[in-house]
Amino acid sequence: MLEFKDVTIQYGQNVIVRKFNMKVESGEIVSIVGESGSGKTTVIRAALGLLPGDGRVSAGDILLNGQSVLSNSREEWLKLRGDKMAMIFQDSGAMINPIKKIGDQYVEYIQVHDKMDKQAAYNRAVEMLSNMRLPDPDRVMNSYAFELSGGMKQRVGIAMAMTFNPELLLADEPTSALDVTTQAQIVRQMMEINKKYHQSIICVTHNLGLAAYMSDQIIVMRNGFIVESGDRDAILNHPQNLYTKNLLSAVPTMGGERYV
Amino acid sequence: MKVKTVVKRVLEILVVLLGVSFLTFSLTYLAPGDPALASFTSQGISPTASEVEEVREEMGLNKPFIVQYGTWLGNCLRGDFGNSFSMHKPVVSVLLQRLWPTLKLAFFSLILMIIIAVPFGMVSAVKQNQWPDYLVRGWTFLGVSIPNFWFGMILMLVLALQLHLLPVTSPDTGLTSMIMPALTLAFPMSAKYARQVRTAVLEELHQDYVVGARARGLSEKAILWKHVFPNAALPLITLLGLSLGSLLGGTAVVEVLFSYPGLGNLAVQAITSYDYPLIQGYVLWIALIYMVINLIVDTSYNFFDPRVRLGA
Ligand SMILES: Nc1ncnc2c1ncn2[C@@H]1O[C@H](COP(=O)(O)OP(=O)(O)OP(=O)(O)O)[C@@H](O)[C@H]1O
Ligand SMILES: [Mg+2]
């Protein structure tokens, strides 16, 4: 469904990601792990055509269902973004307009993609927020971003991204701002939707335990390069690269839900 | 804004007004020209020395400075700014009569300015470093460089004398009378504001929430008008208040140019005829209006920005 072919990404003259290859099948969950600054965010934002600053794909190609997205027009992106492809950002709070209420923005978002009246859209939003274990979703809807905690804002971002069960969900450290219980709950929900709607997920994470728990494929990045990639089991049980081995040894014991 | 800060601001206004009143009174006191003599000459009478002396006594001009100031201030507080020398009417009624036309002109200019500045500023920001941006920037450069009375004269020449679309002068305050003076005031201002809008919008376009909105699939138009513009407008509100204040006080040149019956025109008349009570009243009023408008604008700023209103 999504394929990166020898993708090189640079900010200005700085080449940040080199020859990145990745193939995500429909219904598959792929995790990208790697240290801070290795280019994980850069890679998944490229998939949505939303590289920050003056970032651009300078070589290679990104294909969605066989079609290159690099030359997509604004209108073509409009049809994809928020509907077929959605993104959970590393810092969801910053992705919300600070002077408009969460509820207004959520309803606006729903109405852009679905011919619902305001009340129906509002109810749908409240339902999604409750799924994220947000207490008192009505209050959240009636708040501005600055009135919520970081974890609450993150859950708003996750709820928004999951509203339309996108075919491709791009998640940039979706749960690192959350407590362990909420994290487990949300990851479980992501996996449920993945099963139910045959949705593809690319999940960036620092947490190798989480990657092990949810993914089919794992990609290990360092300094803009893929150092190792492949089936989860292959990576976990027979890591070839020293860097991956080090990452793995940092996780106390392997396997099982308790790392989530 | 909290009640406490409003009270503080009001107290500040009072203190500043006291200072302004003292300054205007001393300046007119020290200014050359004899108001007693002027009260005759403005009526075309040439009085004898004893007649002038009589009037001086009557007007209290022979008393010590501080006594004159005290009497004057006390009267002002009771709403009595004295009688205009040249018009022989209470200063308050003269000012009131001229206030409304000036307010009307100021608001009309401000609205015209916004109608011109906002679209140009937005286009300039969205098409940054493309030809529409260069065009707008060229225009704003011209706009801030051209003196407004000159622009007013060009308008007069073209719209009134050549095309006969509008009256040359503006003896009343009807719409047709206001168009040229308002345009004259709005044009240089809109050039200045178009730049401000451009800068503010450019800054907002780089914010993360814009990326968030794009990721949610909102159209560029919706992002621009519903999200970027309200954010960009916030810092401009204070500026707008300052402009409104200076429009109310500083439209004299344009009002004189078009013979528009506003406060600015009145002030110039008052100055040329040594009409001290009128000058003093005018300065005090303008100071008061200016400060009250700024207070209102600052308060409304708090109202528009939820982060400030809710004390984030
Ligand atoms: N807007 C930008 N302009 C220039 N360089 C950038 C920009 N955004 C990121 N970079 C650079 O790209 C590199 C990769 O950044 P990226 O955000 O993709 O890392 P990451 O793997 O997501 O890190 P983290 O785990 O800390 O989120 C970093 O060296 C960073 O400095
Ligand atoms: Mg990142």
Side-chain angles (χ1 to χ4, degrees):
Chain A
M1 108 144 276
L2 183 77
E3 193 176 356
F4 275 58
K5 273 188 178 164
D6 288 328
V7 171
T8 297
I9 303 171
Q10 55 188 63
Y11 293 104
Q13 290 307 308
N14 272 346
V15 178
I16 295 297
V17 172
R18 281 169 213 272
K19 297 223 172 256
F20 189 92
N21 282 289
M22 165 171 77
K23 198 162 182 183
V24 187
E25 298 301 341
S26 150
E28 213 178 13
I29 301 182
V30 177
S31 285
I32 304 179
V33 296
E35 64 198 24
S36 186
S38 56
K40 309 181 295 294
T41 299
T42 304
V43 165
I44 64 167
R45 281 180 64 161
L48 203 56
L50 287 176
L51 280 169
D54 54 354
R56 67 196 169 89
V57 175
S58 52
D61 207 350
I62 302 175
L63 306 169
L64 182 71
N65 298 324
Q67 301 262 330
S68 171
V69 298
L70 293 182
S71 52
N72 268 3
S73 66
R74 257 183 203 174
E75 286 69 33
E76 285 167 314
W77 275 125
L78 276 186
K79 278 185 212 133
L80 293 174
R81 288 182 191 147
D83 189 15
K84 296 204 165 57
M85 295 167 99
M87 175 134 181
I88 303 168
F89 288 90
Q90 205 165 354
D91 177 7
S92 292
M95 300 298 161
I96 298 170
N97 184 345
I99 62 166
K100 283 187 107 180
K101 287 190 174 160
I102 306 272
D104 294 340
Q105 297 185 64
Y106 207 148
V107 167
E108 178 188 32
Y109 167 48
I110 292 178
Q111 287 187 319
V112 163
H113 297 285
D114 202 329
K115 288 190 180 45
M116 258 187 218
D117 64 35
K118 240 190 173 125
Q119 189 57 47
Y122 183 91
N123 294 341
R124 175 94 183 95
V126 167
E127 183 195 332
M128 287 306 297
L129 292 177
S130 331
N131 288 346
M132 291 303 128
R133 293 167 44 108
L134 271 168
D136 202 352
D138 284 300
R139 183 178 85 82
V140 172
M141 289 291 277
N142 203 28
S143 300
Y144 295 96
F146 68 84
E147 295 177 290
L148 303 181
S149 76
M152 288 166 97
K153 284 184 275 203
Q154 194 59 23
R155 277 177 280 173
V156 170
I158 299 171
M160 281 186 167
M162 308 232 289
T163 309
F164 290 103
N165 300 315
E167 287 165 27
L168 177 65
L169 181 65
L170 302 158
D172 194 352
E173 315 218 9
T175 56
S176 29
L178 305 175
D179 63 276
V180 185
T181 341
T182 313
Q183 192 175 18
Q185 163 85 13
I186 285 172
V187 168
R188 225 170 280 131
Q189 270 181 38
M190 283 169 68
M191 294 178 71
E192 251 168 48
I193 297 178
N194 155 263
K195 294 249 154 51
K196 202 161 143 195
Y197 298 97
H198 219 59
Q199 178 192 43
S200 309
I201 300 177
I202 302 176
C203 183
V204 167
T205 176
H206 277 124
N207 185 339
L208 205 55
L210 175 64
Y213 173 66
M214 66 187 292
S215 1
D216 303 304
Q217 259 189 77
I218 295 179
I219 295 173
V220 183
M221 279 185 84
R222 192 182 186 195
N223 283 333
F225 285 101
I226 294 181
V227 292
E228 194 157 2
S229 70
D231 263 16
R232 170 184 61 177
D233 295 327
I235 300 277
L236 294 179
N237 301 327
H238 311 286
Q240 302 298 310
N241 190 286
L242 185 63
Y243 179 66
T244 318
K245 285 178 189 162
N246 288 340
L247 270 186
L248 282 170
S249 61
V251 181
T253 37
M254 293 309 306
E257 286 192 18
R258 61 205 154 100
Y259 292 104
V260 176
Chain B
M1 192 154 36
K2 291 187 195 70
V3 178
K4 211 172 121 190
T5 26
V6 176
V7 171
K8 211 178 120 210
R9 287 288 298 272
V10 171
L11 286 178
E12 268 171 31
I13 290 182
L14 291 179
V15 172
V16 173
L17 273 183
L18 194 70
V20 170
S21 73
F22 185 78
L23 275 180
T24 45
F25 189 82
S26 352
L27 281 178
T28 44
Y29 181 83
L30 295 171
D34 182 350
L37 186 65
S39 72
F40 286 101
T41 49
S42 69
Q43 296 170 69
I45 303 167
S46 54
T48 62
S50 66
E51 276 172 328
V52 173
E53 194 50 40
E54 209 174 296
V55 173
R56 286 186 67 83
E57 195 63 45
E58 206 178 286
M59 291 166 94
L61 293 174
N62 291 331
K63 298 211 181 93
F65 169 76
I66 214 68
V67 177
Q68 286 188 42
Y69 174 65
T71 324
W72 174 76
L73 191 64
N75 290 338
C76 285
L77 288 178
R78 269 177 267 121
D80 175 12
F81 290 81
N83 280 336
S84 155
F85 291 164
S86 59
M87 305 195 187
H88 309 286
K89 271 192 274 180
V91 168
V92 174
S93 69
V94 177
L95 286 175
L96 267 181
Q97 198 191 349
R98 297 298 189 97
L99 180 66
W100 176 235
T102 290
L103 271 177
K104 230 164 99 172
L105 181 63
F107 276 106
F108 190 48
S109 318
L110 221 51
I111 290 167
L112 267 182
M113 181 281 284
I114 291 171
I115 292 174
I116 304 170
V118 170
F120 280 111
M122 292 281 258
V123 166
S124 189
V126 173
K127 303 274 177 204
Q128 187 191 12
N129 296 333
Q130 295 167 40
W131 66 264
D133 184 28
Y134 292 126
L135 220 62
V136 172
R137 275 153 71 185
W139 163 68
T140 56
F141 185 72
L142 264 181
V144 293
S145 326
I146 292 175
N148 61 7
F149 67 86
W150 183 81
F151 180 68
M153 279 150 78
I154 297 291
L155 279 184
M156 236 182 214
L157 196 70
V158 176
L159 294 181
L161 296 175
Q162 305 262 320
L163 300 175
H164 303 287
L165 290 174
L166 293 164
V168 180
T169 57
S170 314
D172 55 37
T173 65
L175 189 66
T176 45
S177 295
M178 277 205 307
I179 289 178
M180 279 199 294
L183 265 179
T184 308
L185 291 167
F187 181 74
M189 234 192 336
S190 62
K192 192 180 92 187
Y193 272 89
R195 282 185 178 192
Q196 303 279 5
V197 170
R198 177 180 183 273
T199 313
V201 168
L202 273 181
E203 192 177 322
E204 290 301 323
L205 279 174
H206 287 121
Q207 300 295 316
D208 278 341
Y209 70 81
V210 175
V211 176
R214 286 194 182 125
R216 272 175 261 140
L218 268 59
S219 68
E220 288 297 310
K221 206 170 115 196
I223 294 173
L224 209 56
W225 288 105
K226 291 191 192 158
H227 295 275
V228 168
F229 182 66
N231 273 287
L234 280 180
L236 300 183
I237 291 176
T238 321
L239 222 54
L240 218 56
L242 293 175
S243 294
L244 183 59
S246 55
L247 271 180
L248 290 177
T251 58
V253 176
V254 173
E255 287 189 5
V256 170
L257 183 67
F258 291 98
S259 319
Y260 186 82
L263 277 177
N265 210 342
L266 179 76
V268 172
Q269 262 174 274
I271 291 165
T272 47
S273 55
Y274 299 111
D275 195 339
Y276 291 169
L278 194 53
I279 296 172
Q280 290 162 342
Y282 168 79
V283 172
L284 274 181
W285 271 56
I286 290 300
L288 178 68
I289 291 173
Y290 193 83
M291 285 187 294
V292 169
I293 284 177
N294 270 308
L295 178 63
I296 293 173
V297 167
D298 286 356
T299 319
S300 72
Y301 183 86
N302 292 283
F303 172 77
F304 286 122
D305 190 338
R307 287 163 296 191
V308 184
R309 177 173 30 140
L310 302 172

